Amino acid sequence: MKKTLCEPAALREILRVQKLGKNLGSYLGETIDLRDVLRDVKTAAQFHGWFSEAFSDTGEFQLFALHRQPLSIRDAQSQVRIYISTGIHGDEPAGPLAMRRLLEENDWPEHLELWLCPCLNPMGFVLNRRENANGVDLNRDYRNPKSAEVCAHVAWLERQPPFDVTFCLHEDWESHGFYVYELNPDHRPSLAGKTVEAVARVCPIDLSPVIEGREAKGGVINPTLDPAGRPQWPEAFWLLQNKTRQSYTLEAPSDFPLAMRVNALVAAVNAALKSFA
Ligand SMILES: [Zn+2]
């Protein structure tokens, strides 16, 4: 039987982990060689039969998406369409690493149809900064896109069918643990609780009552906001307005060890997707 990480001793270890105190004013932790990571991503995707589509080739890097049909369909109602993206902020390395791990492990529930965008801001990683090469925070450019990356991404998204649930993988260099933003205006069954519960076995949760200026409970933020009233849209707002009615932005705490943050994002995605199994 598989040994789980939720044994009391393992849990105590996780709770003992302290913030590294490295991030003074910005993310100053580990960086990644994005070329290596994307090469591994493409190798794993090809090996496991994903369809890869480049949707922008403007500079040194391609922007690309991966798509996998369900491996089995039990009935039309059980078919679930999931979209996962990451790498929109170049100082958040855990996202692309989590995507690589998920692809290499290939442990997706069979009846899910999946779309992945493994890295939306490659030059940000080369420069180890949040923004793209032109200094644009791409995750504020989705209302009236101007950057080449977001224009290409939105054009690709518009060609896709609606998604049942979307996930955007991020990191927060200021947070005290993992947390999640949930956009669920129709009050569908929430995936947030299961997600946080699974992550708590591998990473501290930020239990602050206020995170990023918003009310939070048990590591979950349910922002009450109307994207129409906001001048700058993150990717999740565009998705909510155009492609989905249920969206999760997963935030790993980047003042903790990188391996722990990758484990947190992988555990979050796996827990959320397993709830459809
Ligand atoms: Zn981010």
Side-chain angles (χ1 to χ4, degrees), residues 42 161-162 176 224 271:
K42 286 182 174 172
H176 304 295
T224 46

PDB file of all heavy atoms in Angstrom, residues 42 161-162 176 224 271:
ATOM      1  N   LYS A  42       7.788  18.903 -23.185  1.00  0.00           N
ATOM      2  CA  LYS A  42       7.430  18.440 -24.532  1.00  0.00           C
ATOM      3  C   LYS A  42       7.720  16.950 -24.707  1.00  0.00           C
ATOM      4  O   LYS A  42       6.947  16.233 -25.339  1.00  0.00           O
ATOM      5  CB  LYS A  42       8.192  19.249 -25.586  1.00  0.00           C
ATOM      6  CG  LYS A  42       7.633  20.659 -25.731  1.00  0.00           C
ATOM      7  CD  LYS A  42       8.354  21.445 -26.809  1.00  0.00           C
ATOM      8  CE  LYS A  42       7.650  22.781 -27.001  1.00  0.00           C
ATOM      9  NZ  LYS A  42       8.363  23.700 -27.873  1.00  0.00           N
ATOM     10  N   PRO A 161     -13.324  24.961 -26.949  1.00  0.00           N
ATOM     11  CA  PRO A 161     -14.689  24.877 -26.397  1.00  0.00           C
ATOM     12  C   PRO A 161     -14.716  25.435 -24.970  1.00  0.00           C
ATOM     13  O   PRO A 161     -13.661  25.701 -24.402  1.00  0.00           O
ATOM     14  CB  PRO A 161     -14.964  23.370 -26.391  1.00  0.00           C
ATOM     15  CG  PRO A 161     -13.627  22.741 -26.299  1.00  0.00           C
ATOM     16  CD  PRO A 161     -12.674  23.647 -27.019  1.00  0.00           C
ATOM     17  N   PRO A 162     -15.907  25.600 -24.388  1.00  0.00           N
ATOM     18  CA  PRO A 162     -15.959  26.018 -22.968  1.00  0.00           C
ATOM     19  C   PRO A 162     -15.332  24.958 -22.063  1.00  0.00           C
ATOM     20  O   PRO A 162     -15.335  23.768 -22.390  1.00  0.00           O
ATOM     21  CB  PRO A 162     -17.460  26.124 -22.681  1.00  0.00           C
ATOM     22  CG  PRO A 162     -18.152  25.991 -23.976  1.00  0.00           C
ATOM     23  CD  PRO A 162     -17.233  25.364 -24.959  1.00  0.00           C
ATOM     24  N   HIS A 176       2.168  33.422   3.613  1.00  0.00           N
ATOM     25  CA  HIS A 176       2.638  32.590   4.722  1.00  0.00           C
ATOM     26  C   HIS A 176       2.347  31.112   4.486  1.00  0.00           C
ATOM     27  O   HIS A 176       2.564  30.282   5.355  1.00  0.00           O
ATOM     28  CB  HIS A 176       1.971  33.042   6.021  1.00  0.00           C
ATOM     29  CG  HIS A 176       2.186  34.489   6.301  1.00  0.00           C
ATOM     30  ND1 HIS A 176       3.435  35.011   6.567  1.00  0.00           N
ATOM     31  CD2 HIS A 176       1.331  35.544   6.301  1.00  0.00           C
ATOM     32  CE1 HIS A 176       3.335  36.326   6.751  1.00  0.00           C
ATOM     33  NE2 HIS A 176       2.066  36.665   6.580  1.00  0.00           N
ATOM     34  N   THR A 224     -15.631  38.694  -4.054  1.00  0.00           N
ATOM     35  CA  THR A 224     -16.937  39.115  -4.575  1.00  0.00           C
ATOM     36  C   THR A 224     -16.647  40.304  -5.475  1.00  0.00           C
ATOM     37  O   THR A 224     -16.448  41.413  -4.998  1.00  0.00           O
ATOM     38  CB  THR A 224     -17.866  39.548  -3.431  1.00  0.00           C
ATOM     39  OG1 THR A 224     -17.103  40.399  -2.574  1.00  0.00           O
ATOM     40  CG2 THR A 224     -18.369  38.356  -2.643  1.00  0.00           C
ATOM     41  N   ALA A 271      -5.764  16.696  -6.431  1.00  0.00           N
ATOM     42  CA  ALA A 271      -6.943  16.566  -5.555  1.00  0.00           C
ATOM     43  C   ALA A 271      -8.189  17.091  -6.253  1.00  0.00           C
ATOM     44  O   ALA A 271      -9.259  16.477  -6.196  1.00  0.00           O
ATOM     45  CB  ALA A 271      -6.707  17.308  -4.246  1.00  0.00           C
TER      46      ALA A 271
END
